[in-house]
Amino acid sequence: MRRRGTEVAKSISTTLLAAQQSMTQTPYAHLLFTSASGGTTYDYSSDQSSRRILLIDHTEEPYNDTATIVLRDNDKAIPDLKGYWTEIGYGFVTGAGNEYPGSGGDNGTYASPRLWVKHQQFVSSGGSYISRLELEGMWNRAAEILIRLGSNPIQYKLYTATSIYSIISAILTECGFTLNALVEDDGIINSLQPNFEINNQPFEFAAAIIYRLLSMTKSYLRPKALLQYEVKYPQSADAVNLNYYLDQHQYFYEYT
């Protein structure tokens, strides 16, 4: 498994923390695929008897999140998963069972942001049969959604007395997402009320509109699990505390 650009969860159980700090570890990946209706699920987590996971290559960037997942499918039991979604949980086998940030009472809040299966390939090679999934995240999803906040037929919308934060919240709501309450404030995003047009000429996609709004601020948006976004405004005063121990693995490779 490889995940790039991740952020450490803000709180985890004591048993999961102990597993992370142990000299011997058994990784666990929670990989549950759910249909668009929510009525069908397929569990390909690493603890399943089928042991299907061959590769998880997951990249999270400020405005882009994608993943490639390769599953063993020698029995040809994996169905067409296009349109299904998953929120991958990265964790360990612990004294309390299989745990990942979000597997407890917070209902997955600290799992990774949602990914949708965009493409699927079935490949036979070297005596094995695999299913290769290409997944897109919430930013790529927003780049494909046309916004219709105005009146028919042109859907033109003009904001004159609304903060950037509120406009972004309205756009994300149209996409089926939620913008969390503002915690980190750059002094612009919730105070500036620009004259802002949507669909002035052609219909616009959600991500492009949000880019235009964020360019007026010093903030950016971070996707989270459960279809949520939060405003991030890093400051030089933010504390970054790293503790290294001679008898433990090093878990941090880079901080930007």
Side-chain angles (χ1 to χ4, degrees):
M1 291 182 292
R2 179 170 58 185
R3 186 184 185 198
R4 297 181 290 271
T6 59
E7 179 175 318
V8 178
K10 294 176 175 61
S11 64
I12 59 176
S13 68
T14 55
T15 50
L16 182 55
L17 180 62
Q20 287 184 345
Q21 297 176 343
S22 174
M23 292 295 292
T24 58
Q25 304 162 333
T26 302
Y28 168 70
H30 180 74
L31 190 60
L32 180 70
F33 289 92
T34 304
S35 64
S37 66
T40 305
T41 60
Y42 293 97
D43 191 352
Y44 299 135
S45 301
S46 59
D47 64 330
Q48 300 299 299
S49 59
S50 55
R51 304 286 183 181
R52 295 192 183 276
I53 299 175
L54 295 175
L55 170 71
I56 297 178
D57 190 354
H58 186 184
T59 300
E60 292 176 311
E61 298 173 339
Y63 300 106
N64 180 49
D65 41 348
T66 60
T68 298
I69 298 176
V70 178
L71 301 175
R72 182 181 289 108
D73 192 23
N74 288 331
D75 56 358
K76 297 186 178 180
I78 296 177
D80 184 351
L81 295 174
K82 291 191 294 292
Y84 279 64
W85 61 264
T86 184
E87 294 179 346
I88 307 173
Y90 298 94
F92 295 95
V93 177
T94 76
N98 300 320
E99 291 189 78
Y100 63 94
S103 57
D106 57 9
N107 193 30
T109 304
Y110 297 132
S112 60
R114 186 163 298 187
L115 296 160
W116 288 265
V117 179
K118 186 74 171 178
H119 302 288
Q120 182 175 10
Q121 290 179 309
F122 294 96
V123 182
S124 177
S125 176
S128 63
Y129 193 68
I130 63 172
S131 179
R132 185 176 185 271
L133 308 176
E134 298 288 339
L135 297 92
E136 66 176 9
M138 291 164 60
W139 272 114
N140 288 314
R141 192 79 163 182
E144 300 170 347
I145 298 176
L146 289 169
I147 295 301
R148 298 174 175 86
L149 285 170
S151 301
N152 289 324
I154 61 175
Q155 294 294 331
Y156 172 78
K157 179 74 173 180
L158 173 63
Y159 289 97
T160 59
T162 305
S163 70
I164 293 174
Y165 172 84
S166 297
I167 300 174
I168 292 176
S169 179
I171 294 167
L172 291 177
T173 298
E174 287 291 301
C175 298
F177 303 147
T178 301
L179 182 58
N180 290 347
L182 189 65
V183 176
E184 300 182 16
D185 190 349
D186 63 359
I188 302 172
I189 194 167
N190 203 33
S191 59
L192 180 62
Q193 298 179 345
N195 289 335
F196 190 82
E197 296 176 304
I198 295 177
N199 294 332
N200 184 21
Q201 301 248 330
F203 281 23
E204 293 185 274
F205 291 94
I209 301 172
I210 295 173
Y211 294 151
R212 287 201 287 128
L213 288 163
L214 289 175
S215 67
M216 304 180 197
T217 76
K218 298 180 180 179
S219 300
Y220 69 94
L221 297 186
R222 175 179 179 263
K224 296 170 61 67
L226 306 179
L227 297 178
Q228 301 174 83
Y229 276 86
E230 65 181 1
V231 175
K232 302 299 293 182
Y233 173 53
Q235 302 172 78
S236 59
D238 291 346
V240 180
N241 299 317
L242 303 180
N243 296 317
Y244 295 94
Y245 303 92
L246 292 176
D247 60 341
Q248 294 181 7
H249 294 296
Q250 308 300 321
Y251 303 107
F252 294 89
Y253 296 98
E254 178 179 316
Y255 180 86
T256 304

